[in-house]
Every structure is written in structure tokens, then in C-alpha cells.
Amino acid sequence: MSKLLEIIKNPGVQIAMLVVFLVVVSAGIWGVYTTQTSPEQPILFPHNIHVNMQIPCLYCHPGAWRQASAGLPTQQKCWACHGQLKKYFQPEVPLANWPLELQKLSSYVKESKPIQWVPVYQVPDFVHFNHRPHIAAALNCETCHGDMSKKTVATLEQTVNMGWCINCHQQKTINDPAKRTKLLDCGTCHY
Ligand code: HEC
Ligand code: HEC
Ligand code: HEC
Ligand code: HEC
Ligand code: HEC
């Protein structure tokens, strides 16, 4: 113990510790910043119009059921519909008369340039989140992402931090101590 104290008293070691501390803190602040803003998107995609037409969430985000990542649609998926809409093609409406956001979509398709959607919901790399067990536990998308039938692009409905995950894991396991232990275990979300 006293040996350790001597090492810590060494000014060089203290500076090194300060540097490590600052790196950790700034990484933490950057992490919170990047996980908690609602960015501008390349196309102002209107969820409301599409969700109110009863297009299922999983049509555009199929991975939310099958794998860790929900996935975002490519321009081909958009164009499967938009390349056919009578409103624009029968009779053909000049591109210049299309709504601006659809002109943008059309140019992504013509240039086969992928649309770089900007992430909204994100957990840091050291956290393990998988949609599947949540959907299997009958949570709906709205619980965590809000009512998309009232939004254009996605916005952050929740502060995505550890407290949010833990709170719900506690609430959902009030009558099941074994499951509670598992869902609150550090290794369940960090490994
Ligand atoms: C299942 C069919 C379908 C898919 C898939 C689809 N849309 Fe649409 N979208 C529609 C229909 C129908 C409308 C309403 C008709 C209209 O006003 O153009 C619409 C409306 C829009 C509008 C509003 C147009 C306006 O009038 O301002 C935008 C923008 C749009 N879609 C973009 C997209 C993008 C981007 C994608 C892919 C991420 C996409 N859509 C995928 C069917 C679809
Ligand atoms: C328990 C809360 C919760 C529920 C329920 C939930 N999500 Fe998520 N979702 C998250 C979190 C947390 C992230 C960030 C994941 C990451 O960074 O790996 C996320 C990310 C996403 C993303 C971003 C892209 C991606 O590939 O991860 C999409 C799209 C998405 N969710 C759609 C859905 C849909 C659709 C449903 C319903 C079928 C749903 N989510 C249900 C919490 C939830
Ligand atoms: C026609 C395709 C389409 C449908 C249907 C659709 N979405 Fe999306 N979704 C998108 C696109 C495009 C984006 C990327 C732009 C944005 O962030 O809003 C997106 C983004 C998201 C995000 C943010 C992803 C991220 O990067 O963190 C969530 C959450 C989400 N959608 C949830 C839903 C839910 C829940 C439903 C059903 C109620 C739904 N979406 C229906 C196309 C769709
Ligand atoms: C709204 C409630 C809710 C929120 C928010 C939530 N979870 Fe969960 N989580 C659940 C439920 C319910 C289960 C499934 C429990 C069961 O097995 O029945 C679950 C299961 C899990 C599992 C699987 C555990 C296993 O069985 O191996 C992981 C990992 C997990 N959640 C991580 C997270 C992380 C990380 C976050 C935050 C980013 C989060 N959850 C946010 C409710 C939630
Ligand atoms: C249900 C999922 C879940 C469980 C269980 C969990 N964590 Fe986390 N943890 C997260 C998420 C999500 C983040 C990232 C967001 C944040 O920083 O709050 C995080 C961040 C952290 C960080 C980074 C520092 C910070 O606050 O940014 C540390 C350290 C940490 N967890 C330690 C632990 C320890 C120790 C345990 C066990 C007592 C634990 N976690 C259990 C989800 C979980």
C-alpha cells in the first residue's frame, strides 16, 4: 500500500493520471453529446405520411426483429414505391415539379449514391443492445422511440443512458428475482 502511495506521489505519475482522467472525461462527454442530439438528415423523410399509410415499421427496419441492428432503408427500397406512384408518372410530372425531398430521392437513385442517414439512437460500442429480446418481451417500438405517426424524421425520445436501461429492467422484473439479477448484471450489457 505505502509503495503504491509513493508511486502516486511521483509528479510524472500524477501528470499521467491527470491525462488519463481528462481523456476519459472528454470521451464521456463526447459520447453523451453524440448519443443525445437529433441530427439533420440528407432527406427530410416523413415517418408520419408512411406510418399513417399503414406501412409496417419492419418493412423499412426489418432487423429490429431478427438481429441486433434494426437497419435503415436504401434508396432502392424507397424507389420500389416512389418509382411507381401514379401521381408522378401517369401522366408523367416533370421532376422540377416534384416536392423537393422527392427530387433529392430521385437524384440518389439516378446516381446510385447511398443515402447516408445520420444515426439518432446509439449506444456506445462497449454496450450490448439487441432489439430481439425486447420485441420478444412484447415491448412495442413506441415505448422507446415515441409515436412515429406524429414525426417526420426520428427524434430522440429518450435520453439513451444506463439509468434508462436499468430503470426499465427493474420495473419489468419486480416479481421475478432471478430475472432481475440477470437483467441488472453488469455483464448482461457490458462484455
Ligand atoms: C410502400 C411504399 C413507399 C415506400 C417504401 C416509401 N414511400 Fe415515400 N411515400 C409513399 C406514398 C404513397 C406517399 C404519398 C404520395 C405523395 O405525396 O408523394 C409518400 C410520400 C413521401 C414523401 C412526401 C412527398 C410530399 O408530398 O412532400 C417523401 C419525401 C417520401 N415519401 C420519401 C420517401 C423515402 C425517402 C423513402 C425511403 C426511405 C420512401 N418514401 C419510401 C410511398 C412509399
Ligand atoms: C427497449 C427499447 C427499444 C425498443 C422496444 C425498440 N428499440 Fe429501436 N433502438 C433502441 C436502442 C437503445 C437503439 C440504439 C441501438 C444501438 O446503438 O445499437 C435503437 C436503434 C434503432 C434503430 C436505429 C438503426 C439500427 O439499425 O439500430 C432503428 C431503425 C430502430 N431502433 C427501430 C425500432 C423499431 C422498428 C422497433 C419496433 C419493432 C424498435 N426499434 C423497438 C431501443 C429500442
Ligand atoms: C417507408 C420506410 C419507413 C417506415 C415504414 C418506417 N421508417 Fe423509421 N426510418 C426510415 C428512415 C428513412 C429513417 C432515417 C431518417 C430518420 O432518422 O428519420 C428512419 C429512422 C428511424 C429511427 C431512427 C434510427 C436511428 O438512426 O437511430 C427510428 C427509431 C425509427 N425510424 C423507427 C420507426 C418506427 C417505430 C416505425 C413504425 C412505426 C418506422 N420507423 C417506420 C424509414 C421508415
Ligand atoms: C422499456 C423497458 C426496457 C428498456 C428501456 C430497456 N430494456 Fe433491455 N430488456 C427489457 C425486457 C422486458 C427484457 C426481456 C426480459 C426477459 O427475458 O423477459 C430485456 C432484455 C435485455 C437484454 C437480454 C438479457 C438476456 O436475457 O440475455 C439485454 C442485453 C438488454 N435488455 C439490454 C438493454 C440495454 C443495453 C438497454 C438500454 C440501452 C435496455 N436493455 C433498455 C426491457 C427494457
Ligand atoms: C441494462 C443495461 C446495463 C447494465 C445492466 C449495466 N450497464 Fe453500464 N452502461 C449501460 C449503457 C447503455 C451505458 C452507456 C450510456 C451511459 O454512459 O450512461 C453504460 C455506461 C457505463 C459506464 C461508462 C461510464 C458512463 O457513465 O458513461 C460504466 C463505467 C458502466 N456502465 C458500468 C457498469 C457497471 C459497473 C454495471 C453493473 C453494476 C453496469 N454498468 C450495468 C448499460 C448497462
Side-chain angles (χ1 to χ4, degrees), residues 133 136-137 168-185 188:
C168 182
H169 284 190
Q170 268 171 333
Q171 276 170 28
K172 297 285 177 192
T173 53
I174 285 168
N175 302 317
D176 189 342
K179 192 175 270 182
R180 166 169 287 205
T181 307
K182 165 84 176 154
L183 285 190
L184 299 185
D185 183 57
T188 298

Side-chain angles (χ1 to χ4, degrees), residues 4-60:
L4 182 64
L5 276 179
E6 263 169 47
I7 295 174
I8 292 175
K9 278 185 192 147
N10 178 319
V13 173
Q14 285 180 355
I15 291 172
M17 282 166 60
L18 182 65
V19 167
V20 169
F21 174 76
L22 289 177
V23 167
V24 169
V25 168
S26 49
I29 292 173
W30 172 246
V32 167
Y33 172 75
T34 50
T35 49
Q36 262 142 64
T37 40
S38 298
E40 208 165 295
Q41 298 293 347
I43 296 177
L44 188 69
F45 171 77
H47 270 89
N48 48 3
I49 294 179
H50 298 85
V51 172
N52 289 323
M53 283 189 302
Q54 314 298 328
I55 304 175
C57 310
L58 293 179
Y59 180 77
C60 291

Side-chain angles (χ1 to χ4, degrees), residues 58 63-66 129-141:
L58 293 179
W65 172 240
R66 282 183 268 138
F129 178 85
N130 193 329
H131 276 93
R132 192 183 177 113
H134 296 94
I135 309 302
L139 293 175
N140 52 35
C141 315

